[in-house]
Amino acid sequence: MSSIAPTDIALIEEHIRRLIVVMGFTDTKVTCSYRTVAAQHYLHVSLIAGPAGRLLIGTHGAHLQALQHIVRALIKRQVREPVRITVDVNGYLASKERTLLHLAQEAARKAGRTGRAIVLPPMSAAARRTIHTTLAARQDVNTESLGEEPNRRVVVRPIFI
């Protein structure tokens, strides 16, 4: 698979910048970064919008998910190869991921300390995947998802060796 050319990245940035301006966010900085890992292509779009970013993020990231969907549709028209696209506003996704990593490690410690299963609150499939991936290498706990959407949750169970 070929990679996305720097000129394509600049064009993608410009299209996203225009979209954001049309939405009324004129003072927003748009930056795209591209990388390839194990033949998988990743494009990360970072928006720095200051206080107005709260409107782009929305409650629990709902507006951000919608914006990401729109950006993906826009980019798929320009890029012929499969690429995983993430959109972040004011570092919201990075902060959310740090919170999930901390939650996973804390649940694993508590499960090991108490010897009991720890049931985490309901979360999205992406958040559950982050929890499972974070704890997959640990030998002292295992994880599983239980329940039905939208109440599906991760259970962290201690393993006694």
Side-chain angles (χ1 to χ4, degrees), residues 17-155:
R17 191 174 292 108
R18 286 183 194 160
L19 171 68
I20 297 301
V21 168
V22 167
M23 291 172 63
F25 298 93
T26 56
D27 294 330
T28 301
K29 182 181 178 196
V30 178
T31 309
C32 293
S33 60
Y34 175 78
R35 65 187 171 98
T36 302
V37 178
Q40 177 64 53
H41 304 288
Y42 297 90
L43 180 69
H44 180 76
V45 179
S46 176
L47 305 174
I48 305 299
R54 291 191 328 253
L55 293 171
L56 285 170
I57 295 168
T59 306
H60 302 292
H63 296 168
L64 180 56
Q65 288 177 346
L67 177 62
Q68 184 166 269
H69 180 76
I70 291 167
V71 168
R72 285 177 177 161
L74 179 71
I75 291 173
K76 282 187 178 187
R77 291 179 178 204
Q78 295 177 300
V79 179
R80 302 255 185 255
E81 61 189 77
V83 60
R84 292 189 182 202
I85 302 163
T86 57
V87 179
D88 196 1
V89 175
N90 292 347
Y92 174 80
L93 289 182
S95 173
K96 190 174 176 181
E97 184 163 343
R98 281 191 303 273
T99 301
L100 285 171
L101 295 176
H102 178 72
L103 175 66
Q105 295 299 343
E106 197 56 40
R109 278 193 285 279
K110 188 173 180 183
R113 190 175 62 246
T114 64
R116 294 184 169 181
I118 305 300
V119 180
L120 299 179
M123 55 186 73
S124 68
R128 290 193 309 271
R129 184 173 37 257
T130 299
I131 300 289
H132 290 304
T133 303
T134 300
L135 298 179
R138 290 188 62 141
Q139 308 253 335
D140 59 335
V141 295
N142 67 15
T143 60
E144 67 177 312
S145 291
L146 296 176
E148 300 294 322
E149 295 293 350
N151 295 315
R152 198 154 168 81
R153 58 191 73 223
V154 175
V155 178

